[in-house]
């Protein structure tokens, strides 16, 4: 993973995104409660136009090629009619017969070339549309707030990014094209059948009535079951992701059979839905095969009688049934194409469920220039800050007032669930307060671009997340690349300094040193090693403000003491907020802020609060008991 700043989009977003208004985020779908959908399949699929527009010229050429191939196939029966009524029945010359055969051969070759051209025209643009939609989805996922990712499962998002978009691509380059061609072929073919032998054509038209009724009913039934199947597939993917991520816990507690049972239940539910889908499709496919063939049988009896009465030529009879053979193929294929269209509609709806979710944390229309921090760091001030979760009944924070002085380290302490982590997330603007202001050197962070805020504020979380890249790329993640970033020598210096401060000398013993890939989520490392690399990442960014959410909880006391001492030196010019969950972490701070019932009820030195603040003493007692429990467990 390349370490870089966020950059503006290199192209204009589709109008679908620009049209978004203040829309609330939808509830993640589940197989038990199908979400509301647009009024029609056409309306739903028309929303793909913004992405498909660059590919439309080639897609239209592909459709034109396929249409021409279909019309050529319909022209062959007319050649056969002239051949039968002419040279064959009138003992015409061999030359006329050979000419007709040659014409059929030429038409067949041209048809084959057009079919090949159709594939050439549509293959590349289809994959381009899919790639663009996937890129837009991932970009939007990066932009969405933490609350969205807390609600949505990884499996559902993966299904939308991979399977759903593949379905849309296949429909665009094949399903849509062939649906247009099939309908055109049927309409033109039936017209030719009426022109060739109108009594037989009327019989064929009568059979179209039940076909239309069945097609409508099929669409209503299949749409519901198609949505259910895709939601269940997303749930199943989430089950796999959750089990693989927690494989150590499952093995440690011997709960593999339980995980297998849950997976089996979800997989069986998906299988039953897919069987329902197949049965629904098979019924309409059977009808689309039987009805036209029945109409053809009735037409054959009627046609033979009309020919025997001299009211229909043999050539017309041959042409009629040759045309019917061409028309029957797309009629029988329409069931599959309708199913593909409804699958594409479902995939599009699921894709837009995510893409049309508006981020609650937005850049301002006219952002202010970021303030220039002083030599000792930036000043952070929280004024009357309140925060309530979307689904919460009571505020997590309720009127917080706190000032983080430049160059000073403030420890934030409170009981479990008091809102410490939420308050820490307000500073880098991972969430916005429901009320009040968070000021960075006197400027409300909501008046700054998120990129500017997060360039000034670095965070080290209690639960560190590493990416499946090298140690160096993980540690230097917060540094910009290119002309705006430091040179190679400076990057190496910052890397070495950050690893030294975080007491991450274990990196030298890794197989490839700082170039060692740490594996998915860094799970090849211990918890303490991951925390030290996450701390090094925050230090390497050299931010104006550093937020440490109990970043040393997995370290032993000796290592923590060394890291704490080195942090004192490196943080001399940085404003630091430390969320403390252990008594030893409080030692890092110049001041301590006590969070109680959603408010800051005390700010002072450790000694001052011990003397004057009963709740602080109670919190320290609880933290000490927790430390003793952890040492006993170790």
């Amino acid at each position: 993973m390349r370490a870089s700043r966020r950059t503006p989009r290199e192209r204009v977003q589709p109008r679908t995104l620009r049209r978004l208004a203040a829309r609330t985020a939808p509830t993640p779908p589940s197989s038990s409660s199908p979400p509301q959908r647009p009024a029609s399949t056409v309306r739903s699929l028309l929303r793909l136009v913004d992405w498909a527009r660059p590919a439309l010229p080639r897609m239209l050429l592909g459709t034109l090629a396929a249409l021409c191939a279909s019309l050529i196939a319909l022209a062959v029966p007319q050649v056969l009619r002239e051949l039968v009524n002419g040279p064959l029945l009138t003992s015409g010359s061999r030359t006329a017969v050979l000419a007709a055969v040659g014409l059929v051969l030429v038409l067949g070759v041209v048809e084959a070339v057009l079919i090949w051209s159709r594939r050439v025209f549509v293959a590349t643009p289809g994959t381009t549309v899919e790639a663009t939609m996937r890129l837009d989805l991932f970009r939007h996922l990066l932009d969405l707030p933490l609350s969205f990712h807390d609600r949505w499962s990884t499996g559902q998002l993966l299904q939308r990014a991979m399977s759903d978009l593949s379905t849309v691509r296949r429909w665009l380059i094949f399903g849509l094209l062939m649906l247009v061609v099939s309908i055109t072929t049927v309409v033109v073919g039936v017209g030719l059948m009426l022109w060739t032998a109108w009594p037989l054509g009327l019989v064929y038209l009568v059979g179209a009535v039940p076909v239309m009724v069945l097609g409508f009913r099929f669409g209503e039934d299949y749409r519901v079951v198609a949505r259910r199947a895709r939601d269940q597939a997303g749930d199943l993917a989430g089950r796999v992701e959750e089990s693989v991520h927690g494989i150590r816990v499952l093995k440690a507690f011997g709960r593999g059979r339980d995980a297998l049972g849950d997976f089996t239940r979800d997989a069986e539910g998906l299988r039953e839905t897919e069987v329902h889908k197949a049965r629904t499709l098979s019924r309409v496919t059977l009808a689309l095969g039987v009805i036209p063939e029945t109409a053809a049988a009735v037409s054959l009896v009627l046609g033979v009688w009309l020919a025997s009465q001299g009211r229909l030529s043999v050539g017309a009879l041959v042409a009629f049934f040759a045309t019917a053979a061409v028309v029957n193929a797309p009629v029988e294929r329409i069931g599959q194409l309708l199913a593909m269209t409804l699958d594409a509609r479902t995939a599009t709806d699921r894709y837009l469920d995510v893409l049309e979710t508006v981020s609650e944390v937005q850049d301002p229309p006219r952002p202010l220039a970021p303030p220039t921090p002083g030599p000792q760091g930036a000043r952070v001030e929280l004024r009357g800050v309140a925060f309530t979760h979307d689904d919460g009944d009571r505020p997590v924070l309720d009127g917080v007032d706190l000032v983080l002085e430049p160059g000073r380290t403030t420890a934030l302490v409170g009981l479990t669930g008091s809102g410490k982590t939420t308050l820490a997330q307000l500073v880098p603007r991972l969430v916005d307060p429901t009320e009040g202001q968070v000021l960075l050197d006197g400027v409300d962070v909501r008046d700054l671009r998120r990129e500017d805020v997060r360039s000034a504020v670095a965070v080290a979380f209690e639960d560190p997340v590493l990416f499946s890249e090298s140690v160096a790329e993980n540690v230097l993640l917060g540094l910009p690349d290119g002309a705006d970033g430091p040179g190679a020598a400076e990057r190496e210096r910052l890397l070495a300094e950050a690893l030294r401060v975080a007491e991450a000398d274990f990196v030298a013993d890794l197989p490839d040193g700082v170039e060692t890939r740490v594996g998915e989520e860094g799970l090849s490392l211990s918890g303490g090693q991951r925390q030290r690399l996450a701390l090094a990442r925050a230090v390497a960014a050299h931010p104006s403000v550093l937020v440490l959410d109990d970043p040393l909880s997995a370290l032993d006391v000796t290592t923590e003491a060394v890291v704490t001492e080195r942090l004192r030196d490196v943080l001399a010019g940085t404003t630091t907020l430390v969320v403390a969950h252990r008594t030893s972490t409080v030692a890092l701070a110049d001041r301590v802020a006590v969070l109680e019932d959603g408010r800051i009820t005390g700010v002072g030195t450790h000694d001052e609060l011990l003397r004057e603040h009963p709740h602080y003493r109670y919190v320290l007692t609880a933290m000490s008991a927790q430390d003793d429990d952890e040492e006993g467990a170790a």
Side-chain angles (χ1 to χ4, degrees), residues 71 74-75 78 81 187-197 320 323:
L71 294 177
L74 290 173
Q78 302 308 314
R81 185 182 69 165
V187 171
V188 175
V190 170
L192 287 173
M193 292 161 69
L194 288 170
W195 177 68
T196 303
F320 178 88
T323 304

Side-chain angles (χ1 to χ4, degrees), residues 246-256:
I247 192 65
R248 288 171 173 80
V249 176
L250 293 176
K251 287 182 176 293
F253 287 90
R255 309 306 291 183

Side-chain angles (χ1 to χ4, degrees), residues 532-610:
R532 278 178 275 178
L533 291 183
L535 179 61
R537 178 167 58 201
V539 171
H542 277 267
S544 302
V545 180
L546 181 61
V547 178
L548 303 176
D549 190 356
D550 198 22
L552 310 178
S553 61
L555 305 186
D556 59 78
V557 176
T558 303
T559 303
E560 182 186 20
V562 173
V563 173
T564 299
E565 187 61 31
R566 291 177 179 174
L567 278 175
R568 284 186 177 278
D569 296 333
V570 78
L571 299 181
T574 302
T575 304
T576 307
L577 175 65
V578 181
V579 178
H581 296 268
R582 300 196 302 180
T583 54
S584 54
T585 309
V586 180
L588 182 64
D590 301 309
R591 298 189 313 158
V592 181
V594 183
L595 186 60
E596 180 182 3
D597 294 330
R599 296 175 179 269
I600 299 295
T601 58
V603 178
T605 65
H606 170 66
D607 293 336
E608 291 172 347
L609 292 174
L610 274 179

